[in-house]
Amino acid sequence: MSDQEDQTLRVARDMAANAEKMFKAAQLIANTRDEDVAIGTTPKHLVMRRDKVELFHYEPMAEATAKTPVLLAYGLIGRYTMADLQPDRSLVRSLLSKGLDLWLIDWGQPGRTERWLKIDDYVDDYIEAAVDRIAQETGHDKITLLGICEGGVFTTCYAALHPEKVKNLVITITPIDFHADVKDKAAHHGFLNLWTRSLDPDDIDKLVDTYGVLPGEFMSSVFSMMTPMRSLTKYNVDLIDVVDDEAKFMNFLRMEKWLADRPHHPGEAAKQWLKDLYQENRLVDGSFELSGCRVDLKSITAPVLNVFALDDHIIPPDCSRALGAKIGSTDYTEIPLPGGHVGLFVSSKSQGKLSQSIADWLVARDANPGSEA
Amino acid sequence: MSENDKSASVDSDPGLEWAKLWQTMAESSNRMVEAWSGSMAPFMLARLSEKPGGFGDGNELSAAIERMAQGPRLADFWDIDRKMALAFGAWIEMRQRLASYNAVAAAPWPEASKRFYETMSATASGGSPHPEWREAFAKWSEISNEELIRNQRTDGFLQAQKELLQAGLKLRSRQDDVAEAASAMLGLPTRKDFDDVTRQLTELRREVRTLARQIRDQKSEGAR
C-alpha cells in the first residue's frame, strides 16, 4: 500500500471514529436531564434575604481552625457557583474542610427591576448588611472578606470605606488597575480592557439605557470572543475528547451550566464598572466615589492576601498586582498561581493550591489576636 | 322652517361642524397611511431586491428613510408610522454594519490557512510522517487562534464592532419606541413607566435604609 493510500485510509478511519463519537455525545446529551447536572451543592442555609440578595451560612465540615467568619463575595458577572462547581472542584468545600467558617452572599438574578442599583448599593448596603448580620450571629466585631473578580473590587472598596469591620481582606483574580493590561505582552490577555476602552462612554450609557441592564448574553458573547477557537471547537472537538469518560463529560456539562447561568448586570452599576473603572481607571487613581465618599485604598489597614492567575486572559496579572503599592496595610501577601481566570477555581491541576494558600494565610492571622477589635 | 333655514342651522351648529372636521381629518389620515403604504413600501422592497446584500455600498436608503421620518411631527396621527419607518431605517443600517463587521472578522482566515499550509508542507518536506488528525488540528487551532486574536486587537476590528453595537442599539431603541407607542395606544403601561417606578422604588428604599441606619446608630450611641 502506498503512502498516499495509507494516508487516505487513515483519514477515512478517523472521520468514521469521530462521527461515531459525535453521535454518542448527542445521545448522552439527549439522555441527560438538567437536574442530573448539579452545581453549587455544598450544604448551606439561608440566614438573611434583602431584596434579591441572600446571605447563606455553609455547614461546617471540620473542626474550626480559624474562628473569624469569612464572607465570600462573587461578582455580578457570573454566579458564585464557579467556586462550588462540583464536590472535587470546589473552593467552598475545600475551605470548609480546612476548618474555616464560611458565609456566602449571593446576588441572585438581577433584572430590569435592579436597573438603578449602583455599586454603592452593593458595597454600602448589601455587603454592609451581611457583615452586620454575621457580626450579630457570631459575636465577632470584624470579619474576613473573600472577594472573587468583581466581588474582589466590592470587598476592596468595603475594606477601604469600613476598615473598622474588616479583619482580613482576601481577593482573588481581582482587577485594581484597569489599565495595567498594556504592560502585558501576551496577545491573548486583556482584550476586555481594550474592547471597553474602544467604546465611547455614550455607547455604554445607551447599552444600559436600552436594555435596563448589561445583558448576561452580551457579556457571554464578549467572553467567547476572547477565546475564539475554543468557542468554535467546544461543541465538536472538545466533546469528542470527553465523550468516552463519563466523569469528564459531566464536568463539561457542569461548566456549561455555570456558563449558561450568566445573570444580567444591574444597569447603573454596569455604567460605573465599565466607565468609571474600565475606562477611567478611577479606583487606582483614588477618584472613585461610593455613597459620596472617595474610595481611598490607603485606608485599607487590614492584612491583605492577593491571589491571581498567571495566565488570566480576563484579568491580566498586572491589573491585580497593582493593589500592593496602593494600600495602607503593611501586611500584604501576593500569591501568583498557574492557570487561567476560571481554571484557578475549577481545573483539576489547581485544586487544593488555592484553598490551601488561603486557609494557611488566614489561620496564621487568626492566631494573631492583635487585630481583633 | 324652510330647507335653507335648516341648512343654515346645521352649518352653524358647532358640534356638527366639529364632527365634519373630524371626519375630514380621519379620511385625510387614512389617505396618508395608504399613500405611505402604497408608495414607500414598494419603493423599499424594490430597493431591497436591487441590493439584497444589505445596502453594503452605502446607506442611502436608511438615510432617506431617516430624512423622511424626521420630518415635522404631527400631534394626532402619523406618529406610529414614523416610528416604524425609523425602525426600518435602523434595521437597514444594522444590516450594513453587520456586513462590514463580518468582512473584518473574516479577514484572518486566509492568513491562518496560509500559515497552516506552510507548516504542514514543511513537516512533509522534512520527511516526517503525516501527523494524526488531532495533532494537525491542534496546530490549526493554535495558528487560527493567534490570527483571530491579532485581528481582534486591530483598530479596524474594534471600530467595526463598535459601529455594529451602535447600529444594533439604535435598532433596539427604535423597536422599543414602536412597542411603547403600541402599548400607549392599548392603554398598557410601558417599559418607561416600569423604569420610572423601579427608579422611585430604589430611591425610596435607599432613603428608608439610610434613616434606619441613623436611628440604629443613635440608639447605640445613646446606650453607651
Side-chain angles (χ1 to χ4, degrees), chain A residues 114-149:
Chain A
E114 283 69 42
R115 169 178 183 173
W116 306 103
L117 289 181
K118 302 176 80 173
I119 294 179
D120 313 43
D121 296 297
Y122 282 91
V123 172
D124 277 332
D125 186 49
Y126 296 129
I127 291 182
E128 168 84 339
V131 168
D132 286 348
R133 183 59 182 264
I134 295 168
Q136 182 191 325
E137 295 274 333
T138 63
H140 285 262
D141 295 329
K142 294 182 172 189
I143 71 161
T144 292
L145 298 173
L146 168 52
I148 300 176
C149 195

Side-chain angles (χ1 to χ4, degrees), chain A residues 39-40 74 79-92 94 148 173 230 247-248 250-259 309 313 337-355:
Chain A
I39 58 176
Y74 198 78
R79 299 286 311 282
Y80 76 92
T81 42
M82 187 181 87
D84 189 23
L85 200 66
Q86 60 193 63
D88 61 338
R89 296 181 190 204
S90 166
L91 172 68
V92 165
S94 197
I148 300 176
I173 55 169
R230 172 85 177 81
K248 282 185 180 173
M250 291 307 291
N251 291 351
F252 173 86
L253 290 184
R254 278 188 278 264
M255 192 65 209
E256 283 297 297
K257 186 166 187 169
W258 175 72
L259 286 169
H313 66 297
L337 290 175
H341 190 75
V342 178
L344 190 67
F345 295 84
V346 303
S347 85
S348 55
K349 287 178 192 165
S350 67
Q351 289 310 303
K353 287 181 197 163
L354 177 62
S355 57

